[in-house]
Amino acid sequence: MKSQSESYRQAGVDITAGYKAVELMKEHVQRTLIPGVVSGIGDFGGLFELDLTGLERPVLVSGTDGVGTKLKLAFLMDKHDTVGIDCVAMCVNDVVCCGAKPQIFLDYVAVGKNLPQRVAQIVSGVAEGCVQAGCALIGGETAEMPGFYPEDEYDLAGFCVGVVDKAKILDKTRVVPGDAILALPSSGLHSNGYSLVRKVFDVERRDLSAYQEELGCSLGEALLTPTRIYVKPVLALVEKGLVKSVAHITGGGFYENIPRSLPQGMCARIEEKAVRTPPLFDLLQRTGDIPRRDMFNTFNMGVGMTLVVAGDQADQALRLLNAMGERAYLLGEIQAGEEPVSLV
């Protein structure tokens, strides 16, 4: 017999709803199981046995993040099965920047009211993200917090752990003038800048379901498009020894993230006309009258990741990426200079 508390339920926390949510999410968690998973859902801790075959000096790499105010769009559209992909993506895309392969993921869902079907939808997105990243969802937490969150709202965050051989950790000090910068296209805004986006589009008073010819879908659909997960294409290049450094273009855009993948004295020279910017960004800039510099300093502008490779290996890297279904392209080159990013 499962525990229950009428007093706790009257205070706003329904323990039995939590049990129902766990039952509903089990099928989604099952999809993420990979070799190494030891424990089942419901244990106090998630157990995972690392396969260290071929790793001389294994190093664990961790990353944590949330979805942010993009969740407001999920609330407004009552669509909750994609934000979990965003949550996973924001973590695994960071971890892979070190050359690490994500192994495990745990999520944290805080709700005003535990609605089991909605929680299961959220976790279905988390599971899909884990499948795309090739890692296991080995645990998590659903916290019902009445009075802290409104009943129809929630927050979602998570973290992942990956592993890499110490000798294969990507080393940005190898970047030199003449290296090429490759772009991996984004699926849209990903999960950054939504406080500005919501203000510009006045989303709470706008019909988000109306079809937008310019976008080829409704504004709501465009804004809720989940973040792309780049683990598999990046690791494919890492295995071939083709990558020197990687930048995940998140909050802060080009100007904040690309410099994190460069050593002191190196400059990423990017021709603005080379950037393949989807219509959503143009619509956002026009509607909000946002300066171009602010756009590149806030959003990914259609570039989810940048990869630095040796100039004479750029074509080989592009062929490999495009053979995997990527639409990768040459974005710029590395030059000597004190200004980390030069957009010309």
Side-chain angles (χ1 to χ4, degrees):
M1 176 179 172
K2 292 187 179 295
S3 65
Q4 56 184 324
S5 170
E6 180 62 23
S7 298
Y8 209 8
R9 189 190 66 79
Q10 291 178 2
V13 178
D14 186 352
I15 298 173
T16 57
Y19 298 142
K20 178 64 174 177
V22 170
E23 287 301 316
L24 291 174
M25 68 177 69
K26 280 183 177 179
E27 64 176 288
H28 304 299
V29 175
Q30 190 73 23
R31 295 180 56 215
T32 76
L33 298 186
I34 60 175
V37 175
V38 176
S39 61
I41 189 171
D43 291 344
F44 284 102
L47 304 180
F48 187 84
E49 182 179 9
L50 274 175
D51 181 1
L52 302 179
T53 304
L55 299 177
E56 294 184 5
R57 299 182 66 185
V59 175
L60 297 180
V61 182
S62 58
T64 185
D65 210 336
V67 181
T69 64
K70 184 175 185 175
L71 291 175
K72 287 285 189 180
L73 276 300
F75 305 156
L76 290 169
M77 297 181 66
D78 194 23
K79 181 174 172 54
H80 312 284
D81 60 348
T82 61
V83 289
I85 300 175
D86 291 293
C87 186
V88 175
M90 297 304 290
C91 298
V92 298
N93 285 344
D94 278 352
V95 164
V96 81
C97 286
C98 298
K101 184 183 188 306
Q103 301 287 319
I104 59 173
F105 190 88
L106 285 87
D107 61 3
Y108 175 80
V109 186
V111 301
K113 182 176 178 61
N114 193 337
L115 303 175
Q117 294 288 350
R118 187 179 65 183
V119 171
Q121 288 175 24
I122 297 168
V123 174
S124 75
V126 175
E128 173 59 28
C130 288
V131 169
Q132 292 182 24
C135 64
L137 177 59
I138 64 167
E141 170 71 6
T142 302
E144 189 171 18
M145 302 169 68
F148 195 87
Y149 293 99
E151 287 194 359
D152 58 349
E153 294 191 2
Y154 56 85
D155 198 7
L156 173 62
F159 79 91
C160 70
V161 177
V163 65
V164 61
D165 199 330
K166 189 171 184 178
K168 295 183 178 179
I169 296 174
L170 296 184
D171 181 7
K172 66 182 180 182
T173 63
R174 296 171 52 223
V175 174
V176 297
D179 285 346
I181 306 168
L182 308 184
L184 294 182
S186 70
S187 56
L189 291 166
H190 284 183
S191 299
N192 304 107
Y194 274 80
S195 294
L196 177 56
V197 170
R198 291 186 298 110
K199 178 183 178 182
V200 168
F201 289 132
D202 194 14
V203 296
E204 307 233 351
R205 293 188 290 180
R206 188 186 189 112
D207 180 7
L208 295 172
S209 64
Y211 183 80
Q212 300 270 320
E213 187 72 33
E214 182 177 358
L215 303 177
C217 62
S218 70
L219 179 60
E221 288 175 306
L223 295 180
L224 261 190
T225 301
T227 305
R228 288 199 62 212
I229 291 175
Y230 300 100
V231 170
K232 292 177 182 178
V234 171
L235 289 181
L237 289 192
V238 170
E239 285 298 312
K240 296 289 186 181
L242 294 174
V243 185
K244 292 188 177 185
S245 70
V246 180
H248 182 200
I249 312 302
T250 55
F254 280 39
Y255 288 103
E256 216 173 277
N257 292 289
I258 293 178
R260 297 166 66 183
S261 66
L262 305 177
Q264 190 74 28
M266 292 294 107
C267 170
R269 186 184 187 278
I270 297 168
E271 291 193 25
E272 188 174 334
K273 64 181 180 182
V275 183
R276 300 175 186 175
T277 305
L280 176 59
F281 295 91
D282 297 327
L283 177 62
L284 176 61
Q285 183 180 5
R286 290 198 315 271
T287 306
D289 192 24
I290 303 172
R292 196 69 173 163
R293 163 81 192 209
D294 287 359
M295 291 293 294
F296 277 92
N297 209 160
T298 306
F299 305 107
N300 67 58
M301 298 302 286
V303 179
M305 273 198 167
T306 59
L307 314 174
V308 177
V309 303
D312 61 0
Q313 294 182 321
D315 287 343
Q316 180 185 355
L318 287 171
R319 284 195 301 271
L320 179 59
L321 289 168
N322 292 326
M324 297 183 68
E326 293 294 324
R327 293 176 292 110
Y329 62 93
L330 183 64
L331 185 65
E333 68 173 357
I334 301 297
Q335 296 181 343
E338 292 306 315
E339 187 178 6
V341 177
S342 174
L343 206 61
V344 297

